[in-house]
Amino acid sequence: MHAIADGCWHDGSLSGAHKAVKLSKYNAQFYKSLFVVALACTYLSGQRGGSTLQMGNHSIEIHLVNQRGGALNINVKVEILTDGGMRMAESYSNREEGVADFEGFNDGVFQLRVSGPGIDTVSQSFQITATEATHREYIRIDIKNLAPPGETASPGNDPTVSAEDLSVPAKAREEFAKGMEAHAKGDDRSAQAAIERALEIYPGYVKAHNNLGVLYLKGGLKDKAYVEFSKAVEFAPKFAPGYVNLAKIAISNGNYPEAELQLKKALATDPSALNAMVLLCSTEFARQEYPDALALIRQVHHLTQDPQYADIHLLAADILVSQKKPRDAAVEYDLFMKENPNDPRAPKVKSLMERLAK
């Protein structure tokens, strides 16, 4: 099964992004397993589903509940953060179910944050254990009373509906919801048809363009996916995931200059997008723009030391070995070991450190 339970797409191949990478003699075989030269994932955004850097096999379900523990059917932003507080993924809860879904996480300690107009922001830590396939968190939400006593908010001021949703016709939202439901059940053909209908009703539906692009990619329709992602950023120039998706198509085509351009656009709109930063590290590495790659790797390291992102130190080490700086390379390997000591590649990293010490 493709990693698309939350809309993540992984092509399962390293070939497209690996060909242009010049590896050191120490790491030629080792880097075949390096995550940053694979296409991590794009996401289906919307009522259920979120974005994340595809790394593990654990799912996350965030259930919003009221004071009595009942399902709270609202549409608000849900973010997953590293234990250090850096944002990893975000989604919007399903207005009908009050649930936000995420995929592709390793086990470990994380934080979540729920926020939006009309509610008190809630943050809490949680842990995913190695033995659970799906981790569920139930979050109690307090809704603010924004209207004066005796009055109710008008439909246009509903604090539980995002600004974009307010501009989308109800029928288009309905078709979009049908598509997301079909996708959740594994019926991508019906999902694609429903989202296409949503776009026929409302061509400016940014989430629908993005999600349809992901479905096209899964079906091998790369050119059609490119059109949809391009439309997403045309309608919403600050929609960072659209630029990241365009970059991943460029990488799969071996077009690293184009990928770098799109990733820089993504970071210009969302400077905290770690997935774009990490992918840009690998793109600059592939283009042998080593000073830029090293600078960005250090920036990512400054922002987070989460195990999900430890592989950037393997890139840095390879660059430093090629520059005949074995001591600096050993420092990067050591950082990788500290940040991700349980990685199955740890013995290989230790072996490389021992070679550098000779």
Side-chain angles (χ1 to χ4, degrees), residues 40 43 67 80 83 169 175 214 241 285 298 301-302 339 353:
Y43 76 84
Q67 299 291 330
I80 305 296
D83 191 34
E175 292 295 342
V214 173
F285 176 81
R298 288 174 182 132
H301 175 66
H302 176 73
E339 293 178 13
M353 292 176 68

Side-chain angles (χ1 to χ4, degrees), residues 1-10 40-56 58-60 80 88-91 100-105 180 183-184 188 210-211 214-215 218:
M1 179 177 177
H2 280 64
I4 194 169
D6 70 335
C8 290
W9 166 69
H10 193 297
C41 80
T42 54
Y43 76 84
L44 288 179
S45 62
Q47 293 178 312
R48 292 189 74 168
S51 64
T52 178
L53 186 61
Q54 183 71 17
M55 292 293 293
H58 299 284
S59 303
I60 302 174
I80 305 296
M88 300 173 64
E90 73 172 47
S91 179
D101 296 333
F102 299 86
E103 293 283 343
F105 282 80
M180 297 302 291
H183 168 68
D188 286 344
N210 185 73
N211 291 13
V214 173
L215 290 169
K218 187 181 177 184

